[in-house]
Amino acid sequence: MVDKPKVVLGVSGGIAAYKACELLRRLTESGHAVRVVPTASALQFVGAPTWSALSGNPVSTQVWDDVHEVPHVRIGQGADLVVVAPATADLLAKAAHGLADDLLTNTLLTARCPVVFAPAMHTEMWEHPATRQNVATLRERGAVVLEPAVGRLTGVDTGKGRLPEPEEIFEVCRHVLKRRSLARGAATGDLAGRHVVVSAGGTREPLDPVRYLGNRSSGKQGYALARTAVARGARVTLIEANTGMPDPAGADVVHVGTAVQLREAVLKAAAEADAVVMAAAVADFRPAAYATGKIKKKEGQEPEPIALVRNPDILAEISAERARPDQVIVGFAAETDDVLANGRDKLRRKGCDLLVVNEVGERKTFGAEENEAVVLAADGGETPVPYGPKEALADTVWDLVAPRLG
């Protein structure tokens, strides 16, 4: 237990408290020592014996329990990570204002490690100016406050405020701990207070009601960029095209299908973004005409040629017409030959600040869990990224973006 990363799992009093059991299981099974610190109201939803049995550690809510061990100080001081899931509006307000009336809020005040909040509440509570200000305050201090998911809430209500899925919260926690380990204990929220936009997936251009022109992009690299940006403290807008993957925790997700729809979403989100990373594979062309009925095969006849027209060049457009002068624009170039030469030419033509160049093919990059690339910079820099997890490439991109932000 001494060598295991020490995680404090705070649980506040919301109906989503039961989902924290799954997060606890993932943390313990992946080799973390977890101490659960629920609020008194959280125990109305999930009892102390459950938390104690799943974590293997004692559970208490009051600073008066085991006073000789000074738990209200020691628990936070010894933690490598504190994650609160669910974090109610009340808990966020107390954390933002430094209130400490139970063991969890005392732990938050004494913690000198990264802190992750996974909010869950009704939409009206999340959108209230008081909550928005409290979230902004916590983010300014370096805490990672995830964006809630959109979906079914308590009762018949639906909207933004749902607790992100436990496996997605776990991925954020895992990455925050990894970053902290690499930084030898230093805070790693270098994107705190920043808004970044990431596109992911591949656009599809309809031919008829059943067919489309598309590409092989899975969206995994874009999702890795979104997840790592969330873990580094950014507010993330993810614009995804046809990935079929669950929304990553903490990101505002916009779903699109075609290049024209992607352009509209990117331009809207980029208007207030500090950085835009265009990882999506955007179709260069689309059919000039859409057949309202299925194009039929005719016996003895060759099919009619399909006329194509150019799609908008989104990367060049947002590079030329930036929302502000210090906005950082990152593009991706998937090449099959003369990779670096074609990449340098594309970087010059597009006018972006950084261009991630990788070689693609039948069994390379698309759909894989790993990637290999070279990141070219407009100032002439080149940063090779060796073959490895797409998360590693994502972190390298943000390492290069962060110092370029105004």
Side-chain angles (χ1 to χ4, degrees):
M1 296 289 286
V2 173
D3 296 327
K4 292 181 178 181
K6 297 178 180 63
V7 178
V8 175
L9 172 58
V11 185
S12 58
I15 186 63
Y18 77 94
K19 290 186 177 182
C21 295
E22 174 64 17
L23 175 59
L24 173 56
R25 184 186 69 81
R26 288 178 179 270
L27 287 167
T28 55
E29 290 185 357
S30 58
H32 300 85
V34 186
R35 175 77 179 263
V36 182
V37 182
T39 63
S41 56
L43 295 181
Q44 298 293 320
F45 296 97
V46 180
T50 299
W51 299 122
S52 184
L54 290 175
S55 68
N57 283 309
V59 171
S60 58
T61 65
Q62 299 300 323
V63 297
W64 310 111
D65 297 334
D66 299 317
V67 173
H68 64 288
E69 296 181 357
V70 200
H72 73 289
V73 173
R74 296 287 181 259
I75 295 175
Q77 285 179 334
D80 296 305
L81 172 72
V82 177
V83 52
V84 183
T88 60
D90 178 69
L91 188 283
L92 293 173
K94 289 179 178 179
H97 290 85
L99 300 180
D101 60 353
D102 61 9
L103 190 56
L104 177 54
T105 48
N106 272 271
T107 297
L108 289 169
L109 273 184
T110 57
R112 293 299 178 265
C113 60
V115 178
V116 176
F117 294 94
M121 64 198 73
H122 268 68
T123 305
E124 294 84 355
M125 300 173 74
W126 174 251
E127 294 178 347
H128 194 282
T131 303
R132 302 308 299 161
Q133 183 59 53
N134 291 332
V135 168
T137 297
L138 291 169
R139 285 172 172 165
E140 287 169 4
R141 293 175 186 160
V144 176
V145 185
L146 306 182
E147 289 290 316
V150 176
R152 182 71 177 270
L153 305 173
T154 307
V156 298
D157 293 339
T158 299
K160 187 170 186 178
R162 182 183 175 91
L163 184 74
E165 293 304 313
E167 59 267 29
E168 290 292 334
I169 301 173
F170 169 74
E171 285 301 317
V172 173
C173 294
R174 184 185 63 78
H175 189 78
V176 170
L177 281 166
K178 175 186 172 184
R179 290 280 301 171
R180 184 173 193 264
S181 175
L182 292 174
R184 298 183 180 180
T188 56
D190 55 351
L191 296 179
R194 302 293 189 175
H195 177 209
V196 302
V197 176
V198 178
S199 68
T203 62
R204 295 176 179 176
E205 311 303 322
L207 286 166
D208 61 24
V210 297
R211 301 182 182 93
Y212 61 85
L213 296 177
N215 56 67
R216 297 177 183 272
S217 178
S218 66
K220 290 180 179 180
Q221 185 64 70
Y223 272 60
L225 283 156
R227 289 190 178 102
T228 52
V230 166
R232 294 169 75 146
R235 178 165 70 91
V236 179
T237 299
L238 174 65
I239 302 170
E240 76 85 33
N242 309 299
T243 66
M245 293 190 288
D247 295 349
D252 279 321
V253 183
V254 180
H255 302 279
V256 299
T258 68
V260 171
Q261 292 170 347
L262 182 68
R263 173 184 177 272
E264 180 181 353
V266 167
L267 291 180
K268 180 178 179 181
E272 58 173 27
D274 296 289
V276 182
V277 181
M278 290 292 297
V282 184
D284 293 323
F285 309 99
R286 67 180 184 273
Y290 172 75
T292 56
K294 180 182 176 182
I295 301 173
K296 296 289 188 179
K297 178 173 64 178
K298 298 178 181 178
E299 291 297 331
Q301 296 183 28
E302 292 298 316
E304 293 289 331
I306 298 173
L308 301 176
V309 295
R310 284 183 179 273
N311 269 324
D313 191 330
I314 307 171
L315 179 58
E317 183 176 359
I318 62 173
S319 296
E321 301 176 10
R322 304 186 188 219
R324 55 177 177 269
D326 58 356
Q327 189 176 58
V328 179
I329 308 294
V330 183
F332 271 67
E335 302 291 344
T336 57
D337 51 65
D338 296 328
V339 175
L340 286 181
N342 286 333
R344 293 188 188 99
D345 180 63
K346 183 172 183 177
L347 175 64
R348 177 186 56 78
R349 288 186 290 106
K350 302 296 184 181
C352 51
D353 301 290
L354 299 167
L355 187 73
V356 183
V357 185
N358 52 18
E359 185 177 0
V360 298
E362 189 69 25
R363 294 180 176 84
K364 295 179 180 178
T365 301
F366 289 135
E369 302 297 332
E370 295 79 25
N371 205 347
E372 180 179 8
V374 176
V375 185
L376 303 178
D379 60 12
E382 292 186 11
T383 305
V385 183
Y387 185 80
K390 289 184 173 179
E391 183 181 273
L393 174 56
D395 264 326
T396 298
V397 171
W398 295 124
D399 287 344
L400 294 169
V401 168
R404 288 173 164 81
L405 294 171

